[in-house]
Amino acid sequence: MFFPERMKRIRLLAHASCRQAAVKKLHELGAVQITDFRTTLTRSEWKDLLQAHPASSDVRRITTQLMGLNRLLDVFATIAPELQEGFFKTLFAPAPPEKIRVEDLSGEALFQEVQALLGTADAAVAQPLEMLEKAAAERAELAAQRAAFAQIASLGVRLADIGQGSFVHSFLGLGPAREYTQLAADIEALAGGLSVCEARSVADEKTCLLVICPAACADEVYQLLRKNDVERIAAGRFAGTPAEALRDIDSRMRELDENQSASRAAIMDAAGSHRSRLKALRELLLIERERCDACAGFARTGQVVAIEGWIIAKQAEAVARELESALGGLAAVFITEPDEPEEKLPVALNNPGILKHFELLVKLYAPPKYNEIDPTVLIVPTFLFFFGLMITDAVYGLMTLLLGIFILRGGGKYYPLYKSCGIMLALGGASTIVLGALTGGWLGNLFVDYLGLTFFNSMVVINPMVDVSDFLVFAIAVGVLHLNVGAVVGIIKDVRCANVPSALKNVWIFFMEISLICYYYKAQAPALVFGVLALVFLLYSAKGMALFGLTGFLGDSLSYARLMALGLVSFGLAVAINALAKMVWGIDYVGWLIALLILIGGHLFSFVLNLMGAFAHGIRLHFVEFFGKFYEGGGEDFTPFSIKRRITEL
């Protein structure tokens, strides 16, 4: 509980024929962090015996099949998307996570199953998908043509006459509403007088131009039209008038819509039939790929595969027996003490029960090193105490407790992160209820001064708004005690590591505190003695930086004044909200409603603000002031080779 789990080195030597079985068993046990044996092959005792294991030949096959599965699932997600839960529903009232029962498929049996399903699902969606894509492309083209024809629907020109002939070329275009006399003259000059240019105003402040010219000068005429911002209208496959073309386009678009609907329905049917199985097989393939990827870190001889890794010491013997039994005597397992420096060993935290959920706070900073004290058990009581002291309102504490319970009964049932957050909020809320009652915070002064519930005053030990100085002294005293605990833990850590000079670096703090206590009680001689000892140890540990050591400890101690400041702000803000509600209460007819809205909205705002502040500053006091006395962090998490099933179950 106070230190990470002890680690052992595990090595497995198995016959080559058992490689897949060995990897599968290790994956199922989920107890061994496999390390790369190739780093060991550089050592003289190994390099003549072993060689690097080749990468699995199945990786490329798995990658190809995963691409096929993902392509089909992407099609289903586009045409028939699944309902996604929002954040708040996931947090408070999630549906049970999808679980698909599957058989224990692996290796060649899995590959054949995936290939068969890919063939079936591809056949079901290929034709509808092709029809859908063609219909979408044609519809987009028709929509563009419709937009152009709609602007010239009033014209009686025949679209069959528009285009390029053997001797004559005709253009139909749209330009801005203005005079085109000069353009007509320019075209006539290009065509040598053999041209026609007619302009007519149409909808949307546009002018439609019909230009007929000899085919020999068609390119020059087209360039001239573009320079005058005239956009050409292509007749396409339509021969009648623009109005007739619009009717034909609308009819064809209705047919395309029907075709698209039929194609979507076919794909949705295929999604209903195959999506769950495709998702399940994708997860099985991902599991298989993890096993193949692990092989890249193995070593081998002609007939033997060598695997090494880390395992928690108390699990080592049981896992060794499981492996040897599962591989039928064709394997040998060796458990030894770590052969790496301690700072390179992975770290597995060992906290029971509720404490396990507070490991999240430690990992927000950094996991401890292998040979370092695990601070989880140390920060739980103080974090909860600081959290409650900075909110100092029993009703806010009850709201926090209920929020935690709702999360536990919602997303906490299925998601470990939400469960940890729910537990921390519930315990923080309970702490806040107690400390809020002791400081007289019941929605500020609402319960006592406005509702007349004066019996709550009997529980008050300190009133933040009245006993401000006492509250400040109490907060700093708590901080000094907290820093002392950190200093003691730092001394214990250094003594365990036989680092005596480092263990002495914070001893001056205790002598200084004893000196101040003696001085307070007018014991001058002991105060002087302990003061001199404090100075000696301070100079020994800090050398020329002694002054900064003293001011640093003073700054750390004063930093705990934030406990008082946030508690005072929480109480004061609630009092201000209550006073504002009282001011509007007397307004005729609607005063009570406005006051109620101010109370509900104001206290909700205050609650959220204080909740975030208490969490952020509570964490800061531990990360900066407390951890600075003994904790470094920087360890590497223990990550066992284990099966990660999100949607499947055997």
Side-chain angles (χ1 to χ4, degrees), residues 396-414:
Y396 290 174
L398 178 61
M399 294 165 67
T400 306
L401 174 63
L402 292 175
L403 177 62
I405 291 173
F406 288 151
I407 292 175
L408 283 173
R409 294 174 62 85
K413 291 189 295 186
Y414 308 116

Side-chain angles (χ1 to χ4, degrees), residues 483 486-487 490 505-506 509 553 556 624-631:
L483 293 173
K505 68 181 180 181
N506 286 323
I509 295 173
F553 182 77
D556 288 346
V624 179
E625 280 77 21
F626 186 57
F627 281 1
K629 299 301 176 201
F630 70 95
Y631 189 67

Side-chain angles (χ1 to χ4, degrees), residues 205-221:
E205 298 183 353
K206 294 279 189 178
T207 298
C208 181
L209 283 85
L210 174 64
V211 177
I212 304 173
C213 65
C217 61
D219 290 340
E220 291 84 351
V221 170

Side-chain angles (χ1 to χ4, degrees), residues 334-370:
F334 303 93
I335 307 294
T336 62
E337 291 299 322
D339 52 0
E340 297 279 354
E342 287 190 339
E343 59 269 18
K344 293 187 178 181
L345 302 186
V347 175
L349 301 185
N350 175 30
N351 293 289
I354 287 176
L355 294 178
K356 190 74 178 174
H357 300 284
F358 285 84
E359 291 177 358
L360 175 64
L361 299 182
V362 175
K363 291 181 179 180
L364 283 176
Y365 184 85
K369 294 180 180 178
Y370 180 76

Side-chain angles (χ1 to χ4, degrees), residues 445-480:
N445 60 346
L446 181 65
F447 281 26
V448 175
D449 293 349
Y450 293 90
L451 301 181
L453 303 175
T454 55
F455 66 88
F456 284 120
N457 283 335
S458 61
M459 293 182 280
V460 176
V461 174
I462 184 171
N463 188 326
M465 299 296 287
V466 176
D467 308 314
V468 178
S469 298
D470 293 341
F471 197 17
L472 176 60
V473 170
F474 174 73
I476 294 177
V478 167
V480 171

Side-chain angles (χ1 to χ4, degrees), residues 166-199:
S166 300
F167 303 101
V168 176
H169 199 134
S170 56
F171 295 96
L172 192 63
L174 281 174
R178 64 169 185 252
E179 289 292 330
Y180 287 94
T181 306
Q182 183 60 47
L183 175 63
D186 292 342
I187 292 175
E188 187 173 2
L190 277 175
L194 300 175
S195 67
V196 175
C197 182
E198 294 288 338

Side-chain angles (χ1 to χ4, degrees), residues 11 13 15 26 80 83 108 121 141 175 183 198 216 242 312 338 351 427 438 501 594 597 599:
R11 287 191 174 91
L13 300 178
H15 192 271
L26 284 168
L83 292 177
E108 190 60 33
E141 181 182 347
L183 175 63
E198 294 288 338
I312 295 173
N351 293 289
L427 293 177
L438 295 178
I594 297 174
L597 291 175
L599 285 173

